Amino acid sequence: PPTWAIYIAGLTFKWIKAQGGVAAMDARAAEKSALVYAALDATEVYVNRVAPGARSRMNVPFWLRDESLNDVFLAGARERGLLALKGHKSVGGMRASLYNATPVDGARALVSYLNDFAARHG
């Protein structure tokens, strides 16, 4: 049997249970994504091309309306410890990954940066 995979799965299941179980993880995912989408939708600085009914809770793609600010945005994010926001090379833009291990405070930190950036460049 694939003992390593079984061992890792067991650790993951214990971690999920310690977080409150699947229902709590689902609620946290909804909260994190709602925070980020609200910040993106609240300003004209960002563009979200995904219809609200089709938006992912795990990966939030978005674009800057002025794409000449992409490098400035990414540099500012790095300064705040917000990493890996650059979107996929075939799609461009930005992508915030809000996977299960990402705490709600991580989403709040991103929202704070999104709001600050929009205030400076909006």
Side-chain angles (χ1 to χ4, degrees):
T3 56
W4 179 253
I6 293 168
Y7 172 71
I8 294 299
L11 291 176
T12 302
F13 299 149
K14 286 177 185 175
W15 179 81
I16 290 171
K17 189 174 181 180
Q19 301 302 309
V22 174
M25 298 292 288
D26 181 57
R28 217 167 5 263
E31 178 183 4
K32 291 184 295 188
S33 62
L35 287 167
V36 174
Y37 284 120
L40 293 171
D41 292 341
T43 177
E44 294 294 318
V45 172
Y46 309 108
V47 177
N48 189 321
R49 299 176 186 157
V50 180
R55 291 178 174 179
S56 170
R57 289 183 178 173
M58 293 293 138
N59 289 299
V60 179
F62 62 96
W63 292 260
L64 299 176
R65 192 166 304 279
D66 180 355
E67 293 188 11
S68 71
L69 293 172
N70 283 355
D71 290 337
V72 173
F73 178 87
L74 291 169
R78 260 189 310 278
E79 288 173 8
R80 291 191 180 203
L82 301 167
L83 307 175
L85 288 171
K86 187 173 182 180
H88 191 275
K89 64 182 178 181
S90 69
V91 179
M94 306 296 157
R95 183 184 74 181
S97 295
L98 304 173
Y99 298 121
N100 288 329
T102 302
V104 175
D105 283 343
R108 288 186 185 119
L110 175 58
V111 167
S112 175
Y113 177 62
L114 290 170
N115 292 337
D116 291 348
F117 186 87
R120 284 193 317 273
H121 298 282

